[in-house]
Amino acid sequence: MTTAAVQRILEQGVRSHQAGDRTSAARCYLEVLATNPENPDAWNLLGVATLQNGDARTAVQHLQTAQQLAPQDSNIAANLSSACLQVKDYSAAEKAVRQALRLDPSNSMAWRHLSSTMRFLGRVPEALQAAERSLELTPGHDDSIAQLGAMQLAAGQLKECVRTLERLTGRRRIRPDVLTNLGAAKRQLGEFHEAKKLLDEAWEHFPGQAEVLTNRGNALLAVHRPDEALEMFRMALAKQPNSASVLSQIVDEITMLIPRFMKDLNEAYALLNQSASQQAGIGE
């Protein structure tokens, strides 16, 4: 296959990929690899498509092959780090993304991946710094804005998170991560009904995502609708039955809400006592 033919097929695959047809895209990449098995671009693109199709382990293999063929390509290293994150190999993810940044310190995508890696490792200040650097490099990029908002939420910078993520509301593209994180921030700020509105919208557009379901359940708990909240939690666990993060978030939220519900019960009990005393006085 000539160089021109390879380029034409790769471009056709990228167009299909950008249009959301990852199956057709993968066929194009495989067609190239059938005759050009040492083409790093084809392995890289196939790895990204495979990752987006939910097969992270195979994606890691494809991207490792791409990196072996093109060890100086920063974007390939950054994509590999993203795939390693999905299989929870955080050490390999950090190694790959730091390699990407050594090759190209201005790679905004790599800074976003470093931010996510640091977040998973529990190093929130470093995650926040990496997200800030990504946005400095690409000030208007939606992914960089969303990443910074997510890290501000993780760092407890709730008002800053709201300001950041509200830059993305009203866009044509509806993002579940933006709606979910913005809803979570507003809930923690005590804006319970606004939070529920945002999470209702997330659920309407993305009803199958466990994180959306969990956060909507938390919002429902906050507005005293426990039966509906429980249904959301059950649906989330059906999607990810072994998800420690989903279980932890549910337990943390219920634990946090118990004192507030107890306060409400105590206030109600006091009001009942006050009412009973007033009724007793009238009777006298």
Side-chain angles (χ1 to χ4, degrees), residues 101 104-109 111 132-140 144:
L101 289 169
D104 182 6
S106 65
N107 188 329
S108 178
M109 177 178 68
W111 282 106
E132 289 170 343
R133 181 58 180 150
S134 176
L135 190 58
E136 287 172 4
L137 291 165
T138 50
S144 295

Side-chain angles (χ1 to χ4, degrees), residues 26 31 46 50 68 75 105 119 186 204 219 228 233-234 236:
E31 183 179 349
L46 181 62
T50 303
Q68 289 167 4
N75 284 329
R119 175 70 182 93
K186 288 200 175 263
E204 177 185 349
E228 294 173 72
F233 295 149
R234 284 174 174 160

